[in-house]
Amino acid sequence: SYAAAFDYPVCRECCLLQYTGQKQAQECQSVDHAGPACRAIGHPVFVDDEITPMRNKTLLHRHRGTLLFVVLVVCFRSAIADWNYVPTGSMEPTILPGDEVLVNKMAYDLRLPLTGISLWRRDEPKRGDIVTFESSAAQKRLLKRVIGLPGDTVSLHRNRLSINGIPAQYESAMQSQDAFTLNEIIAGFEHIVRVEHGRSGVLQDFLPVFVPPGFLLVLGDNRDHSADSRVYGLVPRRELRGRVTRVLASLDTENRYIPRSDRFLRVVK
């Protein structure tokens, strides 16, 4: 700026005029900026170390709209709604790698922005909800489906689910070379799961587990490739951050990230 070129006391009024780009600044440039001419017309004089605070205030004033917009977006994403990228296939075939999903952050709690502190518990998760949560056990954010609610007893035997002693029913939806896609029907809700052919392992079985108050049991729809409650244990209710409602956009990560237009704005069930 014009004022910053001086290393001696400068006329405050002339500096302000120059900063705001007014034409009067040109008229002041011919006078002694620290001398009697400026003082005679009532211009206060200040030294160079006063220029920097003024410049900072001017920059903040100039960009106040942008700063306010950034703050509002951050608060919106932390407390109202957010969009999350899904990098893995643990929820296939419902949610695919490369999906960008919309998360309703107010589905269960009204939270203080940027803190995770719940101000008001609006609702409780329901069986079948797809939720995001900040897992302290996994030390990262996870996205899974709620299977067991407080008071439920849940078990899994050879990838066949039982809740409170009632086994799920399965209907074949599609079959590929390496996996079955099945409709899983249990306890009043139905959704699709993926199970691989002839695969065996520790994830396919667990003994009956009682879900205590304040906790949830979650599983991935891709039953043979999901690190969920079978790996990290039950999920504390306080770790929930929201409910996934739809796929906003999707890119095919195995085919040069070509957009999957048929998945745009798809409702998630």
Side-chain angles (χ1 to χ4, degrees):
S1 70
Y2 182 71
F6 295 94
D7 56 0
Y8 50 82
V10 180
C11 171
R12 182 191 300 273
E13 189 70 17
C14 293
C15 181
L16 288 174
L17 289 171
Q18 178 68 17
Y19 241 18
T20 56
Q22 298 185 33
K23 292 181 180 180
Q24 292 93 322
Q26 300 299 323
E27 301 172 3
C28 296
Q29 289 181 15
S30 61
V31 303
D32 180 359
H33 286 268
C38 285
R39 291 190 177 92
I41 59 175
H43 287 189
V45 174
F46 68 113
V47 295
D48 186 63
D49 60 1
E50 295 181 75
I51 297 174
T52 299
M54 186 190 70
R55 183 184 297 122
N56 291 338
K57 289 181 181 179
T58 305
L59 288 174
L60 287 174
H61 181 76
R62 185 181 302 167
H63 299 291
R64 65 188 184 279
T66 302
L67 293 174
L68 178 60
F69 175 76
V70 171
V71 170
L72 290 176
V73 168
V74 171
C75 290
F76 179 86
R77 293 192 64 179
S78 68
I80 300 175
D82 196 6
W83 47 95
N84 296 155
Y85 176 76
V86 180
T88 71
S90 67
M91 283 295 295
E92 288 185 288
T94 309
I95 297 175
L96 305 181
D99 283 354
E100 192 83 26
V101 297
L102 179 65
V103 181
N104 180 1
K105 288 288 192 77
M106 296 181 63
Y108 308 121
D109 296 271
L110 178 63
R111 296 183 182 275
L112 189 66
L114 306 177
T115 67
I117 299 174
S118 177
L119 302 176
W120 175 38
R121 185 171 287 193
R122 298 184 67 249
D123 200 1
E124 293 301 320
K126 298 176 177 58
R127 197 186 325 277
D129 285 357
I130 299 177
V131 299
T132 61
F133 55 99
E134 297 293 339
S135 173
S136 57
Q139 297 185 340
K140 60 183 176 180
R141 180 185 300 152
L142 297 178
L143 185 152
K144 305 294 175 186
R145 189 183 295 274
V146 175
I147 298 296
L149 300 173
D152 286 341
T153 298
V154 184
S155 64
L156 190 70
H157 179 62
R158 294 183 179 177
N159 265 333
R160 303 185 72 87
L161 187 67
S162 294
I163 299 178
N164 299 323
I166 301 175
Q169 298 179 358
Y170 293 90
E171 298 175 351
S172 178
M174 188 173 63
Q175 184 174 349
S176 64
Q177 288 185 336
D178 56 352
F180 293 103
T181 300
L182 306 171
N183 286 328
E184 185 175 73
I185 307 167
I186 189 168
F189 81 97
E190 176 181 346
H191 68 107
I192 296 176
V193 297
R194 183 179 186 274
V195 178
E196 290 194 356
H197 294 308
R199 186 181 178 90
S200 61
V202 294
L203 293 180
Q204 295 192 350
D205 298 89
F206 62 81
L207 295 174
V209 175
F210 176 75
V211 183
F215 288 85
L216 301 165
L217 188 148
V218 300
L219 296 176
D221 289 350
N222 191 355
R223 290 289 163 80
D224 292 313
H225 294 279
S226 175
D228 41 47
S229 286
R230 294 171 292 181
V231 176
Y232 298 119
L234 301 177
V235 177
R237 165 66 173 76
R238 66 178 181 274
E239 292 184 352
L240 287 187
R241 290 298 177 264
R243 183 180 73 240
V244 177
T245 58
R246 65 177 62 235
V247 176
L248 291 176
S250 182
L251 300 177
D252 191 342
T253 57
E254 296 183 353
N255 189 18
R256 297 178 293 177
Y257 291 88
I258 294 175
R260 302 186 187 105
S261 57
D262 60 318
R263 295 188 60 78
F264 285 23
L265 302 180
R266 174 179 290 192
V267 176
V268 172
K269 297 181 181 180

